[in-house]
Amino acid sequence: MSKGSITVHHAQGVLRLSCETGTPLAPLLRDAGLLALPCGRGQCGKCLIYADTPPTPEERTLLGPARLDRGLRLACHTLTRDGLEVTVPHEGELRVLTSFAGTTYDREPLVRRQPLAVPPGTLEDQRDDVRRLLAAAGADRHCLTLEQLVGLPALLRSGQPLDGLLQDGCLIGVRPQDHSLALIVDIGTTTVAALLLDVDEGRILSSLGEQNAQAPYGADVISRIQQEMAWEAGGGRGDNPLQAAICRQINAMLARLLAEAGREDVDFLSLTGNTTMLHLLCGLPGEHISRAPFIPVTLEAMRLPARRLGIDSQAECFLLPGISAYIGADIVASLLAADAHHPQPPFLLIDLGTNAETVLCAGGELLACSAAAGPCFEGATLSCGMAGQDGAIDSVTAHATEGLAVTTIGHVPARGLCGSGVLDALALLLDAGLVDETGHLEADDSPLGRRVRGNALHLAEGVFLTQRDIREVQLAKAAVRAGVEILLREANLSRQDIQCLYLAGGFGSAMRPRSAVRIGLVPREWEERVRVLGNAASFGALRYVTEKDAPRAARALIRRTRYIELSAHSGFADAYVEHMIFPLS
């Protein structure tokens, strides 16, 4: 193999990359942070680039003649050569849900500020700076880092008013007097949401949402773990790329939020995410999460200095606890957001994503399961599926003469189809009788039926929903519903007993309950009982560090939760097959 270089045109400019000629292009673009590899196996047809290369048989199958003629190719099936020029299409900003449905609660931050009056040292009082500081704070111990101790003498003698940061009687920091700030971060597999909180006023100052910077390493947790294992198998040289990617991202988000607020640091951070995301953040091996019996390194809550995680802050980080390998800290946070730690009638909470995590709460007891729905609800495995970006069709409705009408995110021409649009389109096809109960798609002479061509519903120019896509959704909804039914059976409850269905996450917040009911994703009895929580994980992570006794409440929820492994449940297969069928009406 010989050395060479390629030129990559992308949204931020032009980049020249060195390469070994004749090697796959995809890893090179991924490591440069220029391209996500949704499936990581060369099967999804989503790693699109423009390149003047002969199409491979796989590209002919996955892309079709129209896209090939436009110069589109797949990075997974393109080999490098010296002088190759490629263009990475600009995908636009990812719309990340940062809002949430909040409730009032008794506030008592985990970290509180206390004004300090530290007397100066004298010949008569030669106590060291730390002892005088502890006495002024009324604390009996400290957890100041060496870096904080280095800066302590100058800070105490600066003459400016100071606050001590205390947690459970321990002094963890010293800051110039100001409002207390906290950073709340929800690390999702697809997206990362960050909120800057004014703790004193209980007010969100600003928020940011971005695509998870680990996306180039795969669309799902298994792909990410496999990439981590490959790095370890290669000797683990240099920084763990997945850990480095998420730390850089959190640092950039923190810096931007602080700059907007005119502050230098936060007082503490609250971090949540699924079990794999928190393992990758902490550099913990995720290998055993990915295969039976699915054992994480730890599910305990953690408190550690941000610097230990590579985050540029002198503050302490609080990581929420989890329940199992696939019911993580983000679901614990969502349960706090849903007030599961307070008495209420029986309810279900579902976070619809690649793994549809479902929790049933009744009589103070909780049952939880995780259904492998796959990434179709997030668009990753659908022919024209895409994340929630400008140009994604997010709603589909009936139209008398055109058959259907669509709206797009950003009100720009359609480029693809996101999860809420998929459900609307499928519900419309079922209503029109163009898809039968088995999921078979067939055209007819109606305005909508004439839009079914080549075994696909054409929604807009170049955007369609295929028979294969319908099967993907069918499999996903069957897995979710089977999980729900298993929980109901285990709790000895009927559907009528459930008084509320909480939907968490971006997809759950965007979908129309009527469409979810029509395709059988949600039982008909619950259509009027749906309550959208929005970014419940972020709100729960906020409550974890600002609500009185919330960490204790979270531990109690976990103790009362029984996790059901669906793959080992005797009734799951039958429930899955039963819910493969679409409702007749």
Side-chain angles (χ1 to χ4, degrees), residues 294-505:
F294 315 116
I295 306 299
V297 175
T298 181
L299 293 165
E300 295 297 315
M302 287 190 276
R303 172 192 147 191
L304 66 169
R307 298 285 190 198
R308 290 276 299 277
L309 294 175
I311 297 174
D312 295 334
S313 171
Q314 292 191 31
E316 293 281 299
C317 281
F318 296 91
L319 279 67
L320 274 70
I323 294 170
S324 72
Y326 291 99
I327 302 288
D330 52 344
I331 302 305
V332 174
S334 295
L335 288 168
L336 290 175
D339 279 325
H341 50 310
H342 299 303
Q344 57 182 296
F347 71 83
L348 263 155
L349 181 145
I350 305 180
D351 189 335
L352 286 166
T354 303
N355 290 298
E357 297 98 343
T358 304
V359 183
L360 187 155
C361 182
E365 301 303 313
L366 296 95
L367 295 172
C369 70
S370 176
C376 78
F377 292 139
E378 294 165 338
T381 55
L382 303 184
S383 302
C384 294
M386 63 182 291
Q389 297 167 311
D390 285 353
I393 293 175
D394 60 348
S395 76
V396 183
T397 54
H399 189 281
T401 57
E402 298 296 325
L404 59 81
V406 304
T407 64
T408 65
I409 295 175
H411 308 291
V412 298
R415 297 193 297 116
L417 190 62
C418 68
S420 58
V422 171
L423 262 60
D424 282 355
L426 184 50
L428 189 62
L429 290 169
L430 287 164
D431 283 342
L434 299 174
V435 167
D436 65 17
E437 62 179 351
T438 71
H440 176 67
L441 174 66
E442 190 168 340
D444 66 14
D445 288 332
S446 68
L448 182 60
R450 289 193 292 271
R451 299 185 76 120
V452 177
R453 303 185 300 275
N455 225 21
L457 171 69
H458 291 255
L459 295 110
E461 185 177 357
V463 182
F464 43 85
L465 182 73
T466 70
Q467 178 68 74
R468 186 181 67 82
D469 297 336
I470 292 170
R471 296 296 185 209
E472 288 270 338
V473 176
Q474 200 169 5
L475 294 171
K477 76 98 177 175
V480 175
R481 275 300 300 276
V484 168
E485 298 302 327
I486 293 297
L487 294 187
L488 288 172
R489 289 182 206 172
E490 290 289 327
N492 198 27
L493 295 175
S494 69
R495 295 174 195 166
Q496 287 76 12
D497 292 324
I498 301 302
Q499 300 303 303
C500 182
L501 172 60
Y502 291 111
L503 294 180

Side-chain angles (χ1 to χ4, degrees), residues 162-180:
L162 299 176
D163 286 335
L165 307 183
L166 292 105
Q167 198 247 334
D168 290 337
C170 180
L171 182 71
I172 65 173
V174 183
R175 297 279 196 276
Q177 281 187 359
D178 209 330
H179 279 215
S180 180

Side-chain angles (χ1 to χ4, degrees), residues 192-216:
V192 178
L195 312 174
L196 188 66
L197 171 73
D198 184 319
V199 179
D200 297 335
E201 297 183 358
R203 181 169 59 93
I204 300 297
L205 298 179
S206 53
S207 61
L208 278 176
E210 297 178 355
Q211 184 178 41
N212 189 313
Q214 297 171 342

Side-chain angles (χ1 to χ4, degrees), residues 35-55:
L35 188 66
L37 307 182
C39 74
R41 300 181 298 275
Q43 298 174 0
C44 68
K46 298 294 183 66
C47 53
L48 294 170
I49 57 169
Y50 289 98
D52 183 16
T53 57

